[in-house]
Amino acid sequence: MTISANWYLLLAAVLFCFGLVGVVSRRNILVVFMCVELMLNAANLTFLTFARQQGTMNGHAIAFFVIAVAAAEAAVGLAIVIAVFRTRGTLWMDEVSTLKN
Amino acid sequence: MNRTFSKLALWAFLALLVALFLGYFITRVLPDYLPAGRAVPPRLGDLVFYACAAATVAGAAGVAFSRNIVWSCIGLLIALLGTAALYVFLSADFLAVAQLLVYIGGVLVLILFAVMLTNRIGEVNVSNQSLGLGGGLAVFAAVAPLLMLVAVLVPWPVRPPGPMAPTTARIGDEFLSTWLLPFEVASVVLLATLVGAVVMARKELKAD
């Protein structure tokens, strides 16, 4: 492959920035959640790029753990989302402010 | 009218950013990597890489900027698929399959379930909260140049990667030797997740 590592890192940076902008600017919990997944994915891409560059397996192992934790986060997070929607009837983050103050 | 104009302005700004960055990249950075004198014809693998990267970026933009949440889901699907294809390019075949199974088969289906269960899909609720699009653009302007310039300008040591080989056996060895403790902790985390999700999602039983 002639594609150098810089391109992969650039792509991961673009993905991470999109996810970051989505987390900050969107107000729907589900969209924020998807953007967090996007950022985790970008981090995985970076890990795998460096693993390929170094020829070791450590990046693969860490990326695997990231995937496992992301799956756990998805299960618990979406359960919380469903519970919030059941009790409050909304998914807009600014309206869920019971713990404020 | 005002919203249409602001949307157009936002897209123009994003296009300008991308164009500036591409121009800088092609004129300043790219010549260092090309052998001088003659243009290199693109190879098929490179073209596939560019196609996957473009699909991934387009999907990510759909996730972050789409107004309809179902389109966000589909954008996430495209982004995850593109990333899985890139994992194959990085000779991480096992992780590509794990991505397909766990993310697309599990997480995305869960998100779609949540979208369908919280049944206010077509709701157009343009938020003008304190940290709205302005905050997003501010964070983008703060973070994006740093990350991208670091990714592009730092001369990462260019070593020719080895030939593509199946990685499953080596990952298994690593898990059971170097990464044994994190591996076990991950299994405990998954178990706790299982219990926690059940506890949160169940209906409260009345004690009688």
Side-chain angles (χ1 to χ4, degrees):
Chain A
M1 285 301 118
T2 56
I3 303 285
S4 69
N6 296 61
W7 290 89
Y8 287 98
L9 295 176
L10 175 69
L11 179 65
V14 170
L15 284 187
F16 189 86
C17 290
F18 277 162
L20 194 63
V21 170
V23 166
V24 173
S25 68
R26 304 304 296 273
R27 276 296 162 260
N28 191 321
I29 296 180
L30 282 170
V31 180
V32 169
F33 191 82
M34 286 188 242
C35 290
V36 170
E37 299 287 334
L38 208 59
M39 289 161 79
L40 287 173
N41 226 348
N44 263 350
L45 195 57
T46 311
F47 277 129
L48 286 179
T49 304
F50 283 119
R52 173 88 171 140
Q53 192 81 359
Q54 307 268 331
T56 63
M57 281 286 125
N58 292 338
H60 291 241
I62 297 176
F64 200 81
F65 291 133
V66 170
I67 286 182
V69 171
E73 174 222 343
V76 174
L78 289 174
I80 292 176
V81 167
I82 299 290
V84 165
F85 183 76
R86 261 196 209 148
T87 53
R88 297 176 180 274
T90 183
L91 282 185
W92 294 91
M93 290 168 57
D94 299 309
E95 300 173 20
V96 186
S97 56
T98 310
L99 286 182
K100 213 170 177 180
N101 301 324
Chain B
M1 285 307 113
N2 202 5
R3 254 189 60 203
T4 326
F5 179 72
S6 64
K7 191 186 284 184
L8 274 182
L10 172 65
W11 280 108
F13 180 67
L14 286 179
L16 185 68
L17 272 184
V18 171
L20 277 180
F21 187 75
L22 278 184
Y24 179 78
F25 197 86
I26 288 173
T27 54
R28 287 294 197 73
V29 182
L30 205 53
D32 299 341
Y33 292 98
L34 295 180
R38 60 188 180 83
V40 180
R43 304 191 318 177
L44 183 61
D46 297 356
L47 291 183
V48 175
F49 169 80
Y50 291 133
C52 291
T56 308
V57 170
V63 173
F65 301 119
S66 166
R67 286 273 170 231
N68 191 338
I69 192 169
V70 178
W71 283 114
S72 288
C73 266
I74 293 174
L76 187 63
L77 168 71
I78 294 172
L80 292 177
L81 271 178
T83 323
L86 292 177
Y87 289 174
V88 176
F89 269 87
L90 290 169
S91 78
D93 49 351
F94 185 66
L95 269 165
V97 175
Q99 168 111 347
L100 273 184
L101 287 180
V102 175
Y103 263 117
I104 298 174
V107 172
L108 207 62
V109 171
L110 267 181
I111 291 178
L112 269 177
F113 261 111
V115 168
M116 298 300 171
L117 280 178
T118 57
N119 48 13
R120 289 158 75 186
I121 299 169
E123 178 186 40
V124 180
N125 191 349
V126 185
S127 68
N128 282 322
Q129 308 294 336
S130 55
L131 266 182
L133 208 49
L137 281 182
V139 172
F140 185 82
V143 175
L146 180 69
L147 276 182
M148 294 182 190
L149 287 181
V150 164
V152 170
L153 291 186
V154 173
W156 304 105
V158 178
R159 70 180 68 179
M164 292 204 178
T167 55
T168 317
R170 289 176 67 195
I171 287 181
D173 285 343
E174 288 283 327
F175 271 154
L176 292 184
S177 58
T178 313
W179 299 90
L180 184 58
L181 182 63
F183 190 59
E184 298 297 332
V185 172
S187 58
V188 173
V189 165
L190 286 179
L191 177 66
T193 302
L194 211 65
V195 176
V198 167
V199 166
M200 261 184 290
R202 69 173 177 164
K203 284 205 171 96
E204 288 293 333
L205 289 180
K206 295 228 169 65
D208 45 9

